[in-house]
Amino acid sequence: LLSFMEVMKCWRSLGLTVDMIHLHVMSLHRYLLDHLPEVGPMSQATLFSLQPEPIRSHTLVFEQDNAKRAKVVVESLLSLGQIALDSRKRYVRLGFGFYHSRGDVAHLLQTLQKINDL
């Protein structure tokens, strides 16, 4: 709770609101989704349960064939692009925050292309 309160205090000092951050994250989602490959481990084909923007979580989920494959995707993103994600069972989870930029998403997309080319 203390960390949460410190974050909220910082946000207030910067003039940030939860709504502003959600709008920023959704703009990053739109950019990613507009450029996401049609096939591959993290693609339109593996995107899991995308919700409408007003109620969407900041985490996008990509379904893999099994937990081992999900772990390989996470390890590949880390080794090829220094991108840290996590997986739970057979799902790769990608989360965005206010500190991410469109450049970060472009870097992710370039790294996904490298994985697809393997």
Side-chain angles (χ1 to χ4, degrees):
L1 184 59
L2 182 59
S3 295
F4 174 77
M5 297 305 290
E6 288 299 315
V7 168
M8 294 307 293
K9 183 179 174 182
C10 179
W11 285 4
R12 274 193 299 262
S13 74
L14 296 171
L16 294 173
T17 66
V18 171
D19 287 339
M20 291 168 66
I21 292 167
H22 187 70
L23 288 172
H24 171 69
V25 169
M26 291 303 107
S27 74
L28 298 177
H29 279 199
R30 283 191 298 278
Y31 180 69
L32 175 68
L33 295 171
D34 286 348
H35 297 89
L36 198 62
E38 288 187 28
V39 296
M42 292 179 65
S43 64
Q44 297 289 343
T46 62
L47 186 61
F48 183 78
S49 188
L50 185 65
Q51 297 295 314
E53 284 187 16
I55 62 169
R56 186 183 307 158
S57 162
H58 292 187
T59 302
L60 297 175
V61 178
F62 297 86
E63 186 174 19
Q64 306 302 304
D65 293 333
N66 53 57
K68 183 178 179 181
R69 177 67 178 146
K71 186 176 179 184
V72 167
V73 171
V74 169
E75 290 170 351
S76 296
L77 285 166
L78 186 58
S79 67
L80 292 172
Q82 298 300 306
I83 298 169
L85 304 180
D86 76 334
S87 63
R88 295 188 185 165
K89 298 184 180 180
R90 64 183 184 162
Y91 301 96
V92 174
R93 299 163 35 86
L94 168 64
F96 290 103
F98 76 97
Y99 43 82
H100 289 109
S101 69
R102 197 171 194 163
D104 294 325
V105 178
H107 176 68
L108 171 64
L109 289 163
Q110 291 170 345
T111 306
L112 290 177
Q113 187 61 50
K114 291 177 188 177
I115 291 172
N116 286 345
D117 290 343
L118 293 177

